[in-house]
Amino acid sequence: MISVPVSVPAATPETVAASLFVGAFNSVFEDDPRMTIAVHLTTGSSLAITGRLGDDYHMRFHPAEVSAALDWLTRAVAADPRTVIAVTADRDAEGESAYGWAWFIDTGEALPASAASSLFPDHVELRGADQPHVTLRGPRPLVDTSADGLAYTALTDDVKAVVTAHGEPERPAAGHRFALRLDGTVTVHVDAADESAAREALEVIEYEDFDVDVRTRDGHVIGHVTLGEAEGAELVSVDDVPADEID
């Protein structure tokens, strides 16, 4: 038996998308005269938006284009996790010199130059994979995209408002979330030579706690499980064959 406290729900795709957008921007921005942020789906489709540096040293993207990019990222977070977010930063006003970065949205891992080269024009010098200190925040940990969290981000106020509204997590009508504890069962898959060895392995981890992130069909999140006593564990299947079908 286990106890399963339902913790604060995991971040929604909208929240992660907003975090990824700001994370990509913050990882690269250095008063660049122009910046392009692109979303490349695994299907081959892509969307790119371009901003230009204003006299106030804030990057000026069009709010509607940022909203579209956030929508693309949201769908990608939910259904296409190996989507790539790429940033091109011009180093001169003429656009003759530029750096490029590209990351997978599910892990924040930088693409190697060989994989990223097709995403950029020839004049762009690829960075990221050879610059481990330029990592993408966004998948984990999340970037704070609240109004306070974006206070010192060099985006215009209208774009900040779009990002904050998109990433704001939904709250129940009463404004509260509850952690409830209940008993249930958990199935542990163990690789072992035989059933006896599998049961011995289970004994090693009995009563241990595990952080998980499993969303139920109703949108609730199982955030933590505690294994019960190993003795008496029911054999469910062997190599995906139900136990009651095994001779």
Side-chain angles (χ1 to χ4, degrees):
M1 303 294 288
I2 61 169
S3 60
V4 182
V6 179
S7 63
V8 175
T12 65
E14 290 80 5
T15 299
V16 177
S19 177
L20 286 165
F21 182 88
V22 176
F25 175 81
N26 285 342
S27 294
V28 173
F29 179 73
E30 292 183 354
D31 295 339
D32 312 291
R34 184 170 58 182
M35 178 184 291
T36 298
I37 298 178
V39 181
H40 299 279
L41 307 181
T42 60
T43 61
S45 299
S46 62
L47 172 75
I49 64 172
T50 298
R52 289 170 174 79
L53 192 67
D55 294 337
D56 57 357
Y57 292 97
H58 283 61
M59 189 61 68
R60 297 182 176 276
F61 292 99
H62 194 290
E65 293 182 350
V66 171
S67 181
L70 290 171
D71 286 341
W72 273 56
L73 280 169
T74 298
R75 292 193 293 271
V77 169
D80 192 6
R82 294 307 274 174
T83 287
V84 170
I85 185 168
V87 179
T88 304
D90 289 348
R91 293 306 183 184
D92 57 75
E94 293 74 27
E96 295 178 355
S97 174
Y99 290 152
W101 292 260
W103 304 273
F104 290 112
I105 65 169
D106 57 343
T107 63
E109 174 190 3
L111 275 69
S114 59
S117 58
S118 63
L119 305 178
F120 298 93
D122 292 340
H123 74 283
V124 176
E125 181 180 342
L126 300 184
R127 313 297 288 269
D130 59 343
Q131 284 191 308
H133 62 284
V134 183
T135 57
L136 177 62
R137 285 190 60 198
R140 291 183 181 179
L142 291 172
V143 176
D144 183 358
T145 59
S146 67
D148 289 341
L150 297 180
Y152 297 103
T153 298
L155 294 167
T156 55
D157 288 343
D158 51 358
V159 167
K160 289 180 182 179
V162 169
V163 173
T164 296
H166 190 92
E168 188 171 13
E170 295 181 3
R171 292 284 179 176
H176 303 288
R177 286 195 174 100
F178 300 90
L180 306 175
R181 189 181 301 275
L182 68 160
D183 289 331
T185 60
V186 61
T187 301
V188 180
H189 296 268
V190 180
D191 294 323
D194 52 37
E195 182 180 347
S196 176
R199 291 184 178 278
E200 289 179 4
L202 195 59
E203 291 175 358
V204 174
I205 58 174
E206 64 181 351
Y207 302 121
E208 284 196 19
D209 301 321
F210 295 90
D211 292 323
V212 296
D213 187 5
V214 180
R215 188 174 293 274
T216 72
R217 64 170 178 252
D218 297 319
H220 310 307
V221 174
I222 299 172
H224 184 85
V225 298
T226 302
L227 294 183
E229 185 176 1
E231 184 178 357
E234 177 188 1
L235 178 64
V236 177
S237 65
V238 178
D239 296 332
D240 296 325
V241 178
D244 58 5
E245 296 180 10
I246 299 173
D247 294 333

